[in-house]
Amino acid sequence: MKKTILSLTLITLFGASAIANRIEKETKEVKTTESTVTWKGYKVGGSHTGTINLESGALEFDGEKLVGGEFVVDMTSINATDLEGDYKNKLDGHLKSDDFFGTANHPTAKLVFTNVKSTGKNSYDVTGDLTIKGNTEPVTFEVSVYGDKATATLKVDRTKYDVKYGSGIIGTAKDKLIYDEFDLVVDLQM
């Protein structure tokens, strides 16, 4: 009987202590219409830039510390911002085609944080699973968080996601080569 009472007392004390010390995780939804994702792709002799829209997104915090995140990108919104007229329409259409992102069959891409490591007061090294065209691969990047704003820059190797058009493939003319990596600059508002 004494052991039972002692056990119940210890469970009550340590259980209450654990609950009191636990910090609630908070999920902050991203304001998709106020956030931007800018891409830049490189080719021999130049580059192209554009934007792509977030469909949804959230960052997860434990107190003030970033601990997770998940984002869905609307691939059908990909567009070039450095061209106009027919050239823009052709590039936008080509990016949406199966040569690149195949948006008819893969209308979204997804990023899920799998590991977040603090590197300073507002800075984090993040590893996440990025899914493009149904292919999921790990990516590593830095995130900075300042209040209700966050920024990140990612370098993505498109060939890992079966986006291989113009990728130094045998038979591709050198002036048509497109570099495998493209950049994403992400500015989030929460």
Side-chain angles (χ1 to χ4, degrees), residues 48 80-92:
H48 288 293
T81 57
D82 64 322
L83 298 173
E84 294 179 359
D86 286 342
Y87 290 114
K88 174 186 171 33
N89 293 335
K90 285 180 184 178
L91 180 56
D92 289 354

Side-chain angles (χ1 to χ4, degrees), residues 55-150:
E55 187 173 290
S56 63
L59 292 175
E60 188 175 324
F61 294 86
D62 191 346
E64 293 184 11
K65 183 179 177 186
L66 179 67
V67 294
E70 186 169 320
F71 300 88
V72 176
V73 175
D74 176 7
M75 295 302 293
T76 66
S77 71
I78 193 166
N79 77 93
T81 57
D82 64 322
L83 298 173
E84 294 179 359
D86 286 342
Y87 290 114
K88 174 186 171 33
N89 293 335
K90 285 180 184 178
L91 180 56
D92 289 354
H94 200 196
L95 291 172
K96 293 174 185 178
S97 77
D98 289 337
D99 282 346
F100 284 93
F101 297 104
T103 62
N105 294 318
H106 305 284
T108 60
K110 187 174 188 178
L111 174 64
V112 178
F113 292 9
T114 57
N115 187 36
V116 180
K117 179 183 175 188
S118 177
T119 58
K121 182 177 179 187
N122 300 313
S123 302
Y124 302 88
D125 284 337
V126 176
T127 301
D129 287 335
L130 178 61
T131 303
I132 300 174
K133 288 182 75 172
N135 300 297
T136 303
E137 294 289 336
V139 292
T140 302
F141 53 97
E142 293 180 7
V143 175
S144 297
V145 179
Y146 298 96
D148 286 340
K149 296 181 181 183

Side-chain angles (χ1 to χ4, degrees), residues 7-24:
S7 295
L8 289 173
T9 303
L10 289 174
I11 289 171
T12 302
L13 286 174
F14 286 111
S17 175
I19 291 170
N21 290 330
R22 194 174 106 206
I23 298 174
E24 287 295 316

